Amino acid sequence: LTRGEATLNGAASVVTTNVLLLDEERGLVFDAGWNGTIYAQGFGKRGPREHTLEGHSYDVLALALSPDGRRLASGGRDRTVLVWDLDTGQEILRVDGDAGEANALAFTPDGTRLVVGAQDATLSIWKVDTGDLDRVLCGHLGPIRDLWFRDGILETLGEDGIRRWRVSNSDRVLRHHQEAPGSYVYGVDFAPDGRKLVSAGWDGTVRISDAHDGALTRTLDAFGPRPYDVRWSPNGRWVLGGRDILCLWDVREDQAHATRSLSSGLQCLDFVGPDGKTAVIGDEKGALHLLRTEDLEPLASWAEPHGALAELAVSPTGDRIATISATGHVVVRTLPTGEVLWRTHAHHPVHL
């Protein structure tokens, strides 16, 4: 029941209600009003009783009970998510701001984490015992209206429909590029053995993390602001990335092995073939460059008239490359000659 009116304990005043939640095990009904207060009233065999939970400064929009019935979660328009101990009535966890304006809440089946569905279309998952962010799920195109677990699968209802998510304890969130507010991660790639992960962030760093537990293992010296993309070579030796300056790191060393200034900002890159002896980069003017990996020496360049290259893909054998421009044009070439095999008319424009 949502957005109705309820008279509490026979009081003359009427409290406008956003959400009601029934706890049959404890014989309680929780009433969350527009004033930010949660009222818990008893019913049934245990007789009438009343509790008041105060912690939100504005409308409470969502409530959820933990599977064991001992904890209550509440989310409000004040962008705060609270978890309450129902045995004591005390607030035991507060997440301010980072969870967004919560429209829907649900505990995971084991009760260890809380899923928050927000007005900004994101799903954030929080560890109940510590208040740490476990991960953020993106996929909805509009506000999330409701969410629930069915047979261990998270199902979410947004304005764009229903989506299903597999949420497991083995997932990790890497927050190493989040020191500065509004930081973004532009590029990420696994090492060939799958044990390490390299990422390039808005904060101007390239970082290597343990792929199993997310622990930061190394920070590589970056040249120029905001590395835009990054790749790990097939032989596991090199990491290549950058923006205005292209950097090649030997992962066995503590500094860049080679650098090259670019006349136009890097948009995308990849290594060529299973040996990784050459690499290709696409820039914001639509040019494609073939480089020798070891010293970043240019070997060939080809230009396209359709503007910035949004993405590229090299065939597993390294003899063909496909590019897509910001205008949606796809071109397939041979490597290393650059001969155009075919091209398409524009798809929908790509937003960079």
Side-chain angles (χ1 to χ4, degrees):
L1 300 177
T2 59
R3 290 181 173 81
E5 291 185 344
T7 301
L8 299 180
N9 203 24
S13 61
V14 176
V15 176
T16 307
T17 301
N18 275 350
V19 59
L20 292 173
L21 180 65
L22 181 67
D23 180 1
E24 294 186 84
E25 181 68 24
R26 290 175 177 264
L28 289 171
V29 58
F30 297 96
D31 181 334
W34 285 7
N35 61 358
T37 301
I38 303 167
Y39 302 94
Q41 294 197 81
F43 66 92
K45 295 181 180 180
R46 297 180 62 178
R49 58 202 184 283
E50 183 176 332
H51 306 285
T52 301
L53 306 177
E54 296 180 328
H56 290 282
S57 60
Y58 204 48
D59 298 11
V60 176
L61 302 177
L63 296 174
L65 275 174
S66 63
D68 61 6
R70 299 182 60 186
R71 292 173 174 178
L72 175 74
S74 59
R77 202 181 300 276
D78 58 0
R79 302 176 64 86
T80 298
V81 172
L82 304 178
V83 177
W84 309 85
D85 185 322
L86 293 181
D87 291 328
T88 64
Q90 298 299 308
E91 174 190 313
I92 59 174
L93 177 65
R94 172 180 290 261
V95 178
D96 288 314
D98 292 337
E101 187 174 305
N103 289 337
L105 301 169
F107 284 90
T108 56
D110 62 5
T112 62
R113 288 168 294 165
L114 179 68
V115 184
V116 180
Q119 181 71 15
D120 65 2
T122 61
L123 290 158
S124 55
I125 304 179
W126 302 83
K127 296 179 181 179
V128 175
D129 289 338
T130 64
D132 294 333
L133 178 64
D134 186 41
R135 80 203 72 173
V136 176
L137 304 177
C138 299
H140 281 287
L141 303 178
I144 295 169
R145 298 305 182 193
D146 201 1
L147 59 89
W148 58 90
F149 280 89
R150 188 196 308 271
D151 298 326
I153 301 296
L154 174 64
E155 297 182 343
T156 57
L157 172 64
E159 293 188 349
D160 56 341
I162 294 177
R163 296 177 184 263
R164 307 180 80 235
W165 314 76
R166 190 178 301 278
V167 179
S168 67
N169 283 322
S170 61
D171 296 336
R172 297 290 185 270
V173 171
L174 304 183
R175 298 179 62 84
H176 304 316
H177 291 282
Q178 304 250 345
E179 286 84 351
S183 292
Y184 299 96
V185 175
Y186 279 123
V188 65
D189 197 20
F190 279 100
D193 62 7
R195 297 179 180 179
K196 301 289 185 181
L197 191 72
V198 63
S199 55
W202 176 274
D203 59 0
T205 63
V206 173
R207 306 193 178 196
I208 296 177
S209 307
D210 188 295
H212 175 70
D213 60 13
L216 177 65
T217 62
R218 191 172 176 190
T219 300
L220 304 176
D221 292 331
F223 293 82
R226 300 192 299 274
Y228 206 75
D229 203 359
V230 67
R231 287 292 182 272
W232 211 308
S233 68
N235 63 9
R237 178 181 177 183
W238 307 109
V239 167
L240 182 65
R243 174 61 173 169
D244 299 325
I245 300 176
L246 186 65
C247 303
L248 179 73
W249 295 271
D250 187 329
V251 297
R252 303 170 301 181
E253 301 174 357
D254 292 328
Q255 59 186 5
H257 177 81
T259 63
R260 177 166 293 276
S261 297
L262 303 177
S263 58
S264 184
L266 182 146
Q267 290 289 129
C268 48
L269 75 159
D270 205 355
F271 288 93
V272 177
D275 59 10
K277 292 183 177 180
T278 56
V280 285
I281 65 170
D283 67 27
E284 59 189 5
K285 290 185 178 180
L288 186 66
H289 307 278
L290 180 67
L291 309 171
R292 186 167 56 220
T293 297
E294 189 171 11
D295 54 9
L296 301 182
E297 185 69 22
L299 301 176
S301 295
W302 309 283
E304 284 293 330
H306 305 301
L309 294 181
E311 189 56 274
L312 61 82
V314 179
S315 65
T317 54
D319 60 351
R320 297 187 183 188
I321 182 171
T323 59
I324 183 169
S325 69
T327 56
H329 291 79
V330 176
V331 179
V332 176
R333 298 175 178 270
T334 61
L335 287 176
T337 64
E339 177 187 356
V340 175
L341 293 178
W342 59 269
R343 67 179 74 229
T344 70
H345 296 295
H347 291 272
H348 293 293
V350 177
H351 298 288
L352 298 178

